[in-house]
Amino acid sequence: MSGAVGREPVFPTRQSLGLMKSKLKGAETGHSLLKRKSEALTKRFREITRRIDEAKQKMGRVMQIAAFSLAEVSYAVGGDIGYQVQESAKQARFRVRAKQENVSGVFLPQFESYTQEGVNDFALTGLGKGGQQIQRCRETYARAVETLVELASLQTAFLILDEVIKVVNRRVNAIEHVIIPRTENTIKYINSELDELDREEFYRLKKVSGKKQRDNAAADAEILAARQKAAAEEAGKSPAAEEPGAADVLGEQEDNDVIF
Amino acid sequence: MEGLFFNVNGGYVEGIVRGYRNSLLSGQNYNNLTQCETIDDVKLQLGPAYGDFLAALPPNPSTSALAGKMTDKMVSEFRYLIAQSVGSTAKFLEYLTYGYMIDNIALLITGTLHERDTRELLERCHPLGWFETLPVLCVATNIEELYNSVLIETPLAAYFKGSLSHQDLDELNIEIVRNTLYKNYLEDFYNFVNSHPDFAGPTQEVMSEILQFEADRRSINITLNSFGTELSKQERRKLYPEFGNLYPEGSLMLSRAEDVEGVALAVSAVADYKNFFDAVGLSQGGGGLGGMGGGPADGKSLEDLFYQKEMEMSKVLFTRQFTPAVVYGWMKLKEQEIRNVTWISECIAQNQKERIGNFISVF
């Protein structure tokens, strides 16, 4: 897997290592956050699914009762009141208000139904006969529409949540399976490159210091040999002669670089 | 003596109606209908009574289509009757159609008020309320024109005159217009059967009784239905027909009634209505309006009881002879039959069999 993910195209430097490390940390935080969001949304989603199921069953029952009450009206009135009701209705009695609800950053529209009291445009319909049945039928249908509104708001929430959950899950998976492994890979790569560099450097230093030691040893041996030779000559000429080889530390000549 | 010459003019019509009466569905037929599983079964059961009128219906027709075809049959039978009748009988039959005319005109007024194309509305009009000049009303584009043409063109002119002006049509609720017209119609009809010399005797007796009942029923219904609406008591009072068992004391009390108890009190003078109110539990105040249409224990509402009473009166009409009143009885019975069948088929179509027995059968 990690082979397929590859790594980021960065230079293996300490700076980019730092960058990558903070990126990994960010990705992990983001992942856990998104995971929690997705869980919250899914929980909500399940609840909505359950409520849709309930609402649909309720709708079935309510619509049946409503249709039956219309049959009662046509029995009591003995004629068609449809046209009259249509014509006398001027104002909506049953209204819907839309609200927004925030579920972990997702705005779900919510429809809320309410009845405008006092608006009753066809209260006099069926004055001669069947008036009560008509009013009852109206109430039954108002209840049916209420159920429909409830169902509509649930269905809208269902669709939106479905979409959002898909997006969030895609993000979670992308972070989990692509971004995090890739960043880890990059970090691993940078680390290994840096280690390699370190080892090379160390080896080079060792080489240099080895050569230096050899050079020093040779120089020491030379000086020693020269001293011995001078001492032998001194012993031959004047033993009181100054030591020529004693290095003048504070003198003009350059010091050798000290390399560790 | 009164029957001596009746058959010269009215005998044939009466005979025909008695024949029609025999084709009304009986309790046995209704029993069979309630056993049906589909609308097609219903159609099959109605076959003997309705025959070729239902033949054109597609398989599993809608209940409204079924009811439409049944109405068609009633209309064609009635048209035959009216074509066969002469003199006072013809006049009497015309009176029967005025009620439907009022509905049709109310429909057209509604359409004109809302500036709809009234020609489309003609199809919705009840065929019994059709009169030759009805399409003329569609020419009217505003309510004043309509009012003037209603006054001139239609048989209902007399009912508009004196109680409604064209401003009223504009301002009043159409239901109030309709009920005002209906009140005038009932009063006129009542006056007609009581004053026409041909109807002295059985027609006057039975028609007075049944029209009085109709008037009372309307008064009671209007009162009950007006609770909680903007209809004021004065306006309400104007809609009560000025005759009937309740008139004048009962009507006055009705017009003052504030609630169901008030209505129950107002009608308590008439034993029949008092029984109805007791039966549906309205007089105790326990039932309330919520009990209407099925709440009470026996499943009957006040409206049902009124229908029941009307049907029984219509049935009793057939015990009289030498009177065109049987046509009235037959029409009411037929209408109830159509409602019954519609109800039964609705129950079947919507699978709500538990209340299928909630129809009214008197035979």
Side-chain angles (χ1 to χ4, degrees):
Chain A
M1 179 76 202
S2 58
V5 179
R7 54 177 168 82
E8 313 252 331
V10 288
F11 291 112
T13 59
R14 283 191 188 277
Q15 192 189 9
S16 50
L17 181 68
L19 271 176
M20 279 303 135
K21 276 188 173 162
S22 63
K23 187 172 174 184
L24 182 66
K25 205 165 161 109
E28 268 161 3
T29 322
H31 178 255
S32 76
L33 276 178
L34 279 177
K35 192 97 187 164
R36 262 185 279 163
K37 177 177 176 178
S38 152
E39 270 158 17
L41 289 178
T42 313
K43 182 164 167 275
R44 182 80 183 193
F45 189 69
R46 294 226 178 88
E47 194 198 320
I48 284 178
T49 321
R50 190 176 48 77
R51 274 168 59 194
I52 283 181
D53 181 46
E54 276 169 16
K56 281 202 170 158
Q57 282 177 7
K58 189 177 164 202
M59 183 192 72
R61 284 195 306 275
V62 169
M63 289 307 272
Q64 197 176 17
I65 295 169
F68 196 66
S69 75
L70 189 63
E72 262 175 36
V73 167
S74 61
Y75 177 75
V77 181
D80 187 18
I81 55 157
Y83 187 77
Q84 209 197 337
V85 170
Q86 273 170 38
E87 288 304 329
S88 53
K90 291 184 196 73
Q91 272 181 302
R93 174 183 160 87
F94 191 90
R95 293 166 189 228
V96 174
R97 207 186 274 136
K99 282 199 315 191
Q100 277 196 323
E101 198 200 4
N102 192 341
V103 179
S104 9
V106 185
F107 287 101
L108 297 179
Q110 265 204 330
F111 304 120
E112 195 180 273
S113 55
Y114 65 102
T115 43
Q116 186 95 342
E117 289 307 325
V119 178
N120 193 356
D121 281 334
F122 50 93
L124 289 177
T125 306
L127 190 60
K129 53 184 177 180
Q132 277 122 13
Q133 275 83 354
I134 292 172
Q135 297 308 320
R136 252 160 39 94
C137 181
R138 198 199 58 192
E139 276 157 29
T140 323
Y141 266 96
R143 276 203 295 280
V145 178
E146 230 166 73
T147 318
L148 287 184
V149 169
E150 197 186 320
L151 188 59
S153 97
L154 287 176
Q155 288 273 31
T156 324
F158 180 83
L159 286 180
I160 292 175
L161 268 186
D162 189 37
E163 196 69 18
V164 170
I165 285 176
K166 265 187 208 153
V167 169
V168 169
N169 277 345
R170 210 153 44 218
R171 281 189 191 149
V172 169
N173 287 339
I175 290 179
E176 191 177 338
H177 296 296
V178 179
I179 295 182
I180 290 180
R182 179 194 283 229
T183 318
E184 275 170 351
N185 261 6
T186 318
I187 289 171
K188 229 184 273 167
Y189 160 75
I190 295 174
N191 274 337
S192 68
E193 287 292 298
L194 286 179
D195 283 356
E196 186 71 27
L197 281 179
D198 272 358
R199 274 195 297 278
E200 264 175 29
E201 190 70 18
F202 185 66
Y203 184 71
R204 198 170 60 86
L205 285 183
K206 247 164 71 180
K207 276 282 184 201
V208 168
S209 69
K211 176 115 173 68
K212 274 247 159 87
Q213 269 175 359
R214 273 203 313 279
D215 287 358
N216 279 349
D220 283 354
E222 211 170 292
I223 292 167
L224 202 63
R227 267 193 207 156
Q228 279 169 352
K229 200 177 161 192
E233 279 172 14
E234 194 71 32
K237 283 189 316 186
S238 63
E242 267 185 65
E243 277 183 44
D248 183 3
V249 182
L250 302 170
E252 294 298 290
Q253 76 266 39
E254 291 254 305
D255 282 344
N256 281 329
D257 284 341
V258 182
I259 298 166
F260 303 97
Chain B
M1 265 307 279
E2 80 248 7
L4 191 54
F5 296 111
F6 178 81
N7 282 348
V8 173
N9 290 324
Y12 180 66
V13 170
E14 197 191 335
I16 290 284
V17 172
R18 280 173 197 279
Y20 286 162
R21 175 208 174 281
N22 284 341
S23 73
L24 290 169
L25 298 178
S26 65
Q28 180 61 40
N29 292 123
Y30 282 121
N31 265 340
N32 290 342
L33 284 175
T34 52
Q35 302 300 316
C36 291
E37 292 292 330
T38 63
I39 305 287
D40 271 340
D41 292 348
V42 174
K43 206 173 115 182
L44 198 69
Q45 289 290 341
L46 291 175
Y50 285 87
D52 41 344
F53 277 88
L54 298 183
L57 282 175
N60 265 327
S62 69
T63 47
S64 54
L66 191 67
K69 290 289 173 194
M70 294 171 74
T71 313
D72 283 352
K73 179 161 192 280
M74 181 179 93
V75 171
S76 77
E77 285 175 349
F78 184 80
R79 288 211 175 120
Y80 181 71
L81 289 181
I82 209 163
Q84 294 298 327
S85 54
V86 286
S88 56
T89 311
K91 185 83 187 138
F92 181 87
L93 293 189
E94 267 173 38
Y95 262 99
L96 294 185
T97 65
Y98 289 172
Y100 302 98
M101 281 186 201
I102 291 174
D103 283 346
N104 287 352
I105 284 185
L107 190 67
L108 288 184
I109 292 174
T110 319
T112 314
L113 273 178
H114 294 90
E115 294 172 352
R116 299 296 150 118
D117 187 4
T118 38
R119 259 166 287 269
E120 285 169 16
L121 294 180
L122 287 178
E123 290 163 21
R124 294 166 174 266
C125 288
H126 196 287
L128 275 186
W130 188 270
F131 46 94
E132 278 172 22
T133 51
L134 188 66
V136 177
L137 296 181
C138 292
V139 178
T141 49
N142 61 40
I143 205 72
E144 194 175 343
E145 270 179 53
L146 183 74
Y147 178 76
N148 287 333
S149 51
V150 164
L151 265 187
I152 298 163
E153 303 284 349
T154 72
L156 301 181
Y159 307 146
F160 276 90
K161 202 170 142 194
S163 54
L164 290 165
S165 70
H166 69 83
Q167 282 97 349
D168 286 346
L169 288 191
D170 226 348
E171 287 156 11
L172 289 176
N173 191 302
I174 184 65
E175 275 297 317
I176 297 175
V177 173
R178 186 206 299 267
N179 283 294
T180 312
L181 290 179
Y182 212 90
K183 169 207 162 194
N184 290 341
Y185 157 63
L186 279 180
E187 283 170 5
D188 186 40
F189 197 5
Y190 185 72
N191 196 26
F192 170 70
V193 293
N194 276 303
S195 60
H196 201 285
D198 284 357
F199 295 144
T203 312
Q204 189 186 335
E205 277 172 39
V206 292
M207 281 315 292
S208 297
E209 192 191 346
I210 209 160
L211 287 174
Q212 277 169 357
F213 169 74
E214 179 71 24
D216 294 341
R217 181 169 79 160
R218 286 197 82 82
S219 307
I220 294 171
N221 271 334
I222 288 171
T223 316
L224 285 177
N225 290 335
S226 69
F227 293 144
T229 66
E230 69 262 37
L231 191 68
S232 73
K233 286 180 186 168
Q234 286 80 22
E235 284 175 312
R236 196 165 81 198
R237 193 170 177 199
K238 283 189 209 151
L239 301 179
Y240 299 152
E242 290 180 358
F243 65 97
N245 298 325
L246 292 176
Y247 185 79
E249 293 88 358
S251 298
L252 189 68
M253 282 166 81
L254 272 183
S255 71
R256 289 183 182 159
E258 300 262 359
D259 48 20
V260 186
E261 280 86 18
V263 179
L265 194 68
V267 300
S268 58
V270 182
D272 273 343
Y273 308 147
K274 189 174 186 305
N275 290 341
F276 292 163
F277 274 75
D278 287 346
V280 294
L282 288 180
S283 52
Q284 282 88 33
L289 283 178
M292 299 298 295
D298 57 350
K300 295 275 186 199
S301 67
L302 192 60
E303 208 111 10
D304 287 342
L305 291 171
F306 277 133
Y307 273 136
Q308 179 86 39
K309 170 85 177 158
E310 188 184 23
M311 287 311 105
E312 263 148 29
M313 289 172 94
S314 302
K315 186 185 172 188
V316 169
L317 276 182
F318 282 93
T319 60
R320 299 302 192 109
Q321 237 184 332
F322 309 127
T323 164
V326 286
V327 181
Y328 183 93
W330 167 73
M331 272 182 76
K332 291 290 168 195
L333 287 167
K334 198 77 182 169
E335 279 188 338
Q336 181 63 37
E337 180 178 302
I338 294 171
R339 272 203 301 272
N340 285 343
V341 173
T342 316
W343 173 256
I344 291 172
S345 41
E346 281 284 353
C347 286
I348 291 170
Q350 300 191 16
N351 222 352
Q352 301 244 354
K353 289 275 190 95
E354 62 268 24
R355 288 184 53 196
I356 201 167
N358 210 2
F359 57 84
I360 297 161
S361 159
V362 283
F363 290 110

